[in-house]
Amino acid sequence: MGRRWVFLIGLVGAVWLLGSGHGGQQPPVTAAQRCFCQVSGYLDDCTCDVETIDRFNNYRLFPRLQKLLESDYFRYYKVNLKRPCPFWNDISQCGRRDCAVRPCQSDEVPDGIKSASYKYSEVANNLIEECEQAERLGAVDESLSEETQKAVLQWTKHDDSSDNFCEADDIQSPDAEYVDLLLNPERYTGYKGPDAWKIWNVIYEENCFKPQTIKRPLSPLASGQGKSEETWLEKKWGHNITEFQQRFDGILTEGEGPRRLKNLYFLYLIELRALSKVVPFFERPDFQLFTGNKVHDAEKKMLLLEILHEIKSFPLHFDENSFFAGDKKEANKLKEDFRLHFRNISRIMDCVGCFKCRLWGKLQIQGLGTALKILFSEKLIANMPESGPSYEFHLTRQEIVSLFNAFGRISTSVKELENFRNLLQNIH
């Protein structure tokens, strides 16, 4: 199955660490090159090398991807941050300002997005709003055409099927609110200590495909975790070289740090491969990035397709079939194992006491789960009709937004690695 699947679930933590760099310029504690001494050349189990990924991401993909994620379709994400934790009751809510999430007011969200959560054609765009008022999409208004009713019922059946890797929020709940991701960026919030460790402990100890020898990255006893809250309050946003070394230096992490960075590249390849596989879904003429502004929507779909074709042209995509090797029964068992673990982790996110961490945790888990859903649905994607409703394979707007924003965080992390390399090389 390949040893790197062992780390798949825990990889999101490395994305958070790099994408939410907390500031403060302190003297380095180790030699500059120790963080990257093992992060070069070919990745285990893959034919791709780190240097090729850096060039492709940092100079060909990253700028256009960021432009896409700033558009209205991708910046608004509907989330329920009030769902109770299903595993324990003693949750301490983070009272820090940086932990807070500012939801959108009703008039701040484009009308097309508010009324188009499940719309994928002009016909559906005009008719499906009535369905969203029902408790579930299965309650279809009889005024809808027979074709649209059938499509809605098929989508509902699909969304409840075993193809989904996450337990998604009920976005029809009164507690679900739109959040502007650009106004609530992922950053270090100061959320740490026993409560945060409890979350990671459940993820690593109970839900990871991993050997027991893996060192968990966020233990309160680990290096750099004993700082007081007052110390963090003095920080400013920026690149914290000392913290980077404490997380990824080979000696300080007992060899685990550079491995984490290589695993980050592996996660990049997973989601990159999923995006290359799902191109036919977005190429269909019926699909549109609907916000209500036709000119804007057409421009952004064109940009989306440019990015996807660029991704498809990447020369060193890994062959995911090698990871799903074995007979059909074994492959189905692997898929079910992944699905159950990811659904469980998506529920654990409701136990995170920092709302901003909960928001981005939910989004990134759903994004990674959507990528796995795509990789396990290759035949369904290949059999989609060129136009009309796609009954067998379907992505909701929530899945699309989370898929691209989660990949955007990984892309940002890869770009940040280049920044840290340059900073470390300038230290003598």
Side-chain angles (χ1 to χ4, degrees):
M1 182 171 68
R3 71 173 295 275
R4 292 210 173 269
W5 285 108
V6 164
F7 301 96
L8 186 54
I9 295 174
L11 289 178
V12 178
V15 181
W16 289 340
L17 291 174
L18 287 170
S20 57
H22 33 290
Q25 297 294 325
Q26 303 175 12
V29 297
T30 59
Q33 297 301 316
R34 287 198 338 209
C35 293
F36 291 99
C37 62
Q38 302 172 38
V39 189
S40 61
Y42 288 98
L43 297 167
D44 295 350
D45 298 334
C46 298
T47 59
C48 188
D49 61 272
V50 167
E51 291 76 15
T52 298
I53 297 175
D54 285 340
R55 289 192 299 270
F56 178 79
N57 177 76
N58 298 349
Y59 302 105
R60 295 173 59 181
L61 197 59
F62 178 81
R64 282 184 287 180
L65 182 60
Q66 294 306 304
K67 183 178 179 180
L68 180 72
L69 296 180
E70 292 171 359
S71 66
D72 284 351
Y73 186 90
F74 290 97
R75 69 185 291 180
Y76 295 105
Y77 181 67
K78 198 169 189 180
V79 63
N80 183 356
L81 297 176
K82 299 177 182 178
R83 286 178 56 171
C85 172
F87 300 109
W88 54 82
N89 297 321
D90 56 333
I91 301 177
S92 298
Q93 301 294 344
C94 175
R96 298 172 61 87
R97 181 181 61 184
D98 292 329
C99 289
V101 170
R102 176 187 174 275
C104 296
Q105 300 298 315
S106 179
D107 59 353
E108 294 176 325
V109 183
D111 291 335
I113 291 178
K114 288 187 293 186
S115 62
S117 295
Y118 297 93
K119 300 175 182 178
Y120 289 89
S121 68
E122 284 197 3
V123 173
N125 287 340
N126 294 328
L127 296 177
I128 210 170
E129 184 173 0
E130 295 92 335
C131 296
E132 296 180 344
Q133 298 172 358
E135 182 178 353
R136 294 185 61 84
L137 284 177
V140 180
D141 192 311
E142 293 181 355
S143 65
L144 300 180
S145 69
E146 182 178 349
E147 180 183 13
T148 303
Q149 290 185 42
K150 184 178 180 182
V152 172
L153 289 172
Q154 290 287 347
W155 293 343
T156 305
K157 180 179 178 181
H158 184 277
D159 289 341
D160 290 334
S161 73
S162 61
D163 288 331
N164 290 308
F165 284 74
C166 292
E167 187 173 299
D169 286 345
D170 176 11
I171 62 173
Q172 305 308 315
S173 167
D175 290 330
E177 298 177 288
Y178 282 100
V179 172
D180 186 337
L181 298 175
L182 299 184
L183 297 181
N184 296 274
E186 182 187 32
R187 286 178 177 171
Y188 178 77
T189 66
Y191 177 62
K192 62 187 183 70
D195 289 330
W197 170 241
K198 191 174 183 179
I199 302 293
W200 280 110
N201 188 59
V202 172
I203 292 176
Y204 274 83
E205 292 301 325
E206 300 180 20
N207 292 283
C208 265
F209 301 91
K210 68 171 188 63
Q212 294 301 313
T213 56
I214 296 302
K215 183 178 179 180
R216 294 165 291 180
L218 298 179
S219 168
L221 303 178
S223 177
Q225 294 302 308
K227 299 184 178 71
S228 67
E229 287 296 319
E230 288 73 24
T231 301
W232 289 115
L233 289 173
E234 297 172 359
K235 303 293 185 182
K236 296 180 182 180
W237 298 120
H239 293 87
N240 187 333
I241 297 175
T242 299
E243 187 68 20
F244 182 88
Q245 291 176 310
Q246 290 170 343
R247 301 289 189 176
F248 302 109
D249 179 270
I251 294 178
L252 293 178
T253 61
E254 301 177 12
E256 188 62 27
R259 197 176 304 142
R260 290 175 194 157
L261 296 181
K262 296 191 80 169
N263 288 335
L264 173 68
Y265 281 103
F266 183 69
L267 177 59
Y268 183 92
L269 290 178
I270 291 173
E271 298 206 5
L272 193 75
R273 181 59 165 170
L275 289 169
S276 73
K277 289 283 188 180
V278 80
V279 172
F281 176 82
F282 294 105
E283 284 183 326
R284 300 165 72 249
D286 286 7
F287 175 81
Q288 56 179 302
L289 299 175
F290 187 81
T291 67
N293 184 328
K294 288 188 175 181
V295 175
H296 175 86
D297 294 343
E299 291 176 350
K300 295 311 173 186
K301 181 176 180 180
M302 185 176 300
L303 175 60
L304 171 68
L305 293 178
E306 288 177 2
I307 291 172
L308 289 174
H309 288 143
E310 185 74 62
I311 290 173
K312 197 171 183 179
S313 72
F314 183 70
L316 296 173
H317 281 293
F318 75 90
D319 180 11
E320 72 279 5
N321 292 322
S322 63
F323 295 96
F324 307 142
D327 57 28
K328 184 176 180 180
K329 183 178 180 180
E330 184 179 349
N332 288 338
K333 174 65 165 56
L334 176 63
K335 176 182 177 180
E336 183 64 8
D337 286 345
F338 270 105
R339 190 183 71 84
L340 291 176
H341 280 289
F342 267 83
R343 288 182 71 89
N344 203 35
I345 290 179
S346 66
R347 299 174 69 206
I348 293 172
M349 290 299 107
D350 288 317
C351 302
V352 176
C354 165
F355 286 114
K356 186 169 290 184
C357 305
R358 185 183 298 193
L359 163 66
W360 284 98
K362 280 173 171 279
L363 183 146
Q364 291 187 66
I365 291 295
Q366 185 177 28
L368 182 52
T370 302
L372 288 174
K373 169 180 170 178
I374 293 168
L375 292 177
F376 279 107
S377 303
E378 182 175 8
K379 292 182 179 179
L380 298 180
I381 296 173
N383 293 330
M384 284 190 309
E386 294 184 1
S387 61
S390 174
Y391 300 141
E392 297 299 326
F393 179 82
H394 169 65
L395 293 178
T396 67
R397 180 182 176 275
Q398 289 288 105
E399 289 175 314
I400 295 169
V401 172
S402 64
L403 174 67
F404 281 90
N405 273 283
F407 182 68
R409 301 310 302 147
I410 303 168
S411 175
T412 299
S413 295
V414 172
K415 185 70 170 62
E416 284 297 330
L417 284 181
E418 180 180 60
N419 294 333
F420 274 107
R421 280 194 191 94
N422 294 335
L423 289 170
L424 287 167
Q425 287 172 355
N426 291 332
I427 294 177
H428 301 285

